[in-house]
Structure formats: structure tokens, C-alpha cells
Amino acid sequence: MDRGNAVRGGGAAAGVAQSAFASHRGADFPIGPVTLFAGPGGGRSSALRAYEALARPGSGDPFDEVFPDPAGCVPEGAAADAQGRRGFRIGCTTDGPAGPVRLDVAVQAEPTLGIVGERLTGGGETLLTTALRDPGRSTVQAARHTAGTVPVTRAPLPDDRLKTALLPLRVAGRTEGQLQVLAAAEQMGVALRSVFACEPQPPRMRGPVPAGDGRLRRGCDDLAAVLECTHTQCAQRHARLVAAAHAGCAGPVTALGVERLADGLLRATTGRDGGHATPVGRLGDGELRYPALTPVLLTGPGVPAVDAAGEVPSAMQTLTVPADGLDRDLDGRQLRGLLDLGVSIGAAGHLRLVGTVTEPGAVRARETAGVTVVDLNP
């Protein structure tokens, strides 16, 4: 194969490391097809926050939006250095065509927010390192592996962007070392961009919504627009959504429909026996959360319901779905249905569900084959 035209593929998050983040120190959590965090306090949610905190900058989100309260991410009791600086460290590992690749990021939270250190490793090599040399400048000094006559290339890069995400724009891809760096950076970048955090908000899902492009939003408040899209574009997928709604709602559900109101807004409905349609606004919170979560699990990457990394072939993507409070408002039957669905979809290698659950939810999850429960009890 001509290495200058090597196939560039995606990757999947295989683990999240939190060497110093919020309530965690030196923690490293493997991520499987369905991984749930259980335990008291806020440690469950911070495990998901750390991964999303890496994913969002990898997708280009402004750093100050990713960390609106950066001081809250600093481990409790962490002392400032001589310059009054405090921060935190997070990281993750991905698997893919480039092999295991690890990214570790050091973030300064005080007195100003910014990435002060970044390390990308893979294949037994340190592929990228950065360090903040001058706090008065908006750049960091970066050194990347080249394996040529000059083994390391050094250059300044901006401190408000994830440098791993910038490498494909900066590395030429000519030498063996450059190709290794490029493959690792692209694999990590695809893994970070292929994340869809799902937090259904039942109060916002009950009202009518404008027609859209069919891409489900984080709060699932545009569910009616998604249902209209699946109904017109993919009958098979829509039928699976109807079956999921039947499993998750009280009483039989024979259809999921959409009414277009006089003002042009869309309202989702559930069809009952005899052709009667009930607006979803009348459903309970659990009955709304269940059909909102199922489209994400059923669709996978590269389809209208979620916005995955579109430039990577779907066969090479793995969508990671963080779902904080997965069992919120769900009864045992609904939770088991979601977990069974996540396990069956995850077995194909195209989806990873990472969530938090209460202790009653963890008890049910431990009884479900294929689900890994990480107990964060001290």
C-alpha cells in the first residue's frame, strides 16, 4: 500500500482516565459496549463529564463553553502553585486501525482557563507533547514525533484548542513518523467527534416543535421532527421505534405519528388500538424518556437521528452515547428493555452506551448479560 494514501479510519473510546478531575484521582475506567457507573455522590456524573469534556473541544466547541465552571473540576483540596495556578487532568484511550492510542490533557482552571499540557501516545511512542512555556502568551510549545533525520519537530500552537484535533491540519504525512502521528490523531479525533450525549427532558418534549433536519438534539425536545423524518425516510427504522415505544409505554402502542398543526408546528402522537392517537404530552416522564433514548440506540452513526462524524465511513465509526441518569423516571421493565437494546446494538461494534444509574438501577443492570457496572463506592 502507498503509505501516503493509507486508509484513514475511526476509533472507539476504550477507556476514560481521570488522573485529577473533580472527585477522582488516578482513576481509569474501561469502557465496553454498555458501561454503567453506580455509587453515591457526584462521582458517577463526573466520570461522564470528563469524557464529554474531551469530546467537545475535539469537535471544535469553545473551551469556555465546555468548562463554564472550571474551578469546579479541580480536585478538592488541590493547592495552587507559586504562580497561583490550579487545574485538573483528564484523558482517554481509543482502539482502531492505528492500535491503542492514548490522549492525556492538563487543563489550567485558575487564574485563567486553557490547555497547558497535552500528550498523545501510541505504538510505544510519544507522538505529541505540549507545554505552556510563557503564561503571558496564547500559545504552547508543541513537539511531535517525525522519525526522520530530525526525530522531533517543534512549533507553537494555540492554547485554546485541542492540539490533537489540529494535527491533521499541520502534519504533512510524508515520513513514516508523520504518518504514524497523523493516523493516531485522526483516530482519536474521530472517536471524540463520534459522541452524542443524550439527556431527554420530558417537560420540553411535550409541546409542539418546528420541523427540522431530523437530527435529534441532546435534550430530545425535537423528537416530533425526528419521528417525521424516520416515518418518511426509513419505514424499517420507524417500525423498530414503534416496537420500542410499545415496550416502554403503559398500554399498547400501535403507531408513532406526527400531527402538523395550523401554525406549522409538529406534535408527536402515539397510536392506540382502534386508531386513537394520543399526544405524547399526555405521557408520563418515563414513557417519554424511553422512546427518546431508543432512537439513539437504534440508529447508530451516519444516519439522520444523530450527527456523527460524517466524513468517516459508518462501518469504521463507533458512536459513544453518554447518558447521565439513564434510569431516571424508568421502571424496571423499561430499564431492562433499554439495556437489552444497548447490548444487542453494541454487539455489532458500532455503539457504546455509557451511563450512570442509581443503586436500584445498578441491581437490575448487574442481572443483564453484557452490561458492565462500575461501582464507585469508596
Side-chain angles (χ1 to χ4, degrees), residues 12 236 296 321 360 363:
Q236 182 178 7
V296 184
V321 181
V363 171

Side-chain angles (χ1 to χ4, degrees), residues 17-21 24-28 75 88-91 102 104-105:
Q18 301 172 77
S19 54
F21 182 83
H24 298 288
R25 288 179 179 270
D28 200 340
F88 52 91
R89 294 176 180 271
I90 50 181
R102 183 181 178 97
D104 294 285
V105 179

Side-chain angles (χ1 to χ4, degrees), residues 231-256:
H231 185 267
T232 58
Q233 296 184 14
C234 186
Q236 182 178 7
R237 184 170 290 115
H238 191 79
R240 296 187 71 182
L241 293 178
V242 173
H246 176 74
C249 292
V253 174
T254 59
L256 287 174

Side-chain angles (χ1 to χ4, degrees), residues 208-209 224 228 257-269 277-279:
V209 299
E228 183 186 52
V258 177
E259 294 179 347
R260 187 173 291 272
L261 305 179
D263 57 5
L265 296 180
L266 304 177
R267 180 171 63 188
T269 63
T278 302

